[in-house]
Amino acid sequence: METSNLYIPVNIKTRFEFFDGFGLAELAPTVAAALISGIVAVVVHAAGGGMVTSALIVLVTIAASVMALAKGENNLSVVDQTKCVLSFLREQRQYSYYYADEWGGDA
């Protein structure tokens, strides 16, 4: 029986992406953040803020959301890395160590 190795190229995408690391799964939270920031911008504008302030609130929120949710080369976004760090910190245990002389003398 003849065996052959299957070669799968590295650059094949398994899902649709608008640009590298940002697909439909990342678009939904970005749209939600844009809607919430739009509501905040309307409230700020109604409270006497200028149009520039309202526009900046929406644009900065969208840009920050895209940057935080886009996945990098290791397939982790900033949000995913933060989740990993927080779960790692929760799993850490601290053990108190008290130095004692091995032979029973005063230390």
Side-chain angles (χ1 to χ4, degrees), residues 13 30 68 80 89 91 93 104:
K13 305 281 185 198
T30 302
D80 295 337
L89 289 175
E91 292 174 358
R93 301 287 182 250

Side-chain angles (χ1 to χ4, degrees), residues 40-52 54:
V40 170
V42 167
V43 170
V44 167
H45 183 67
M51 180 63 89
V52 174
S54 301

Side-chain angles (χ1 to χ4, degrees), residues 2 6-7 10 18 21 37 52 55 58 60 70 72 97 102:
E2 186 177 317
L6 179 62
Y7 173 73
V10 177
F18 297 107
S37 68
V52 174
V58 174
V60 168
Y97 176 76
E102 184 178 354

Side-chain angles (χ1 to χ4, degrees), residues 40-102:
V40 170
V42 167
V43 170
V44 167
H45 183 67
M51 180 63 89
V52 174
T53 306
S54 301
L56 280 176
I57 289 172
V58 174
L59 293 176
V60 168
T61 303
I62 293 172
S65 176
V66 169
M67 288 173 48
L69 292 171
K71 297 183 184 293
E73 293 178 3
N74 56 358
N75 201 25
L76 288 175
S77 66
V78 174
V79 174
D80 295 337
Q81 289 177 350
T82 305
K83 287 178 186 176
C84 289
V85 167
L86 291 176
S87 72
F88 176 76
L89 289 175
R90 275 188 238 114
E91 292 174 358
Q92 291 297 302
R93 301 287 182 250
Q94 291 183 347
Y95 298 100
S96 300
Y97 176 76
Y98 300 103
Y99 177 77
D101 189 17
E102 184 178 354

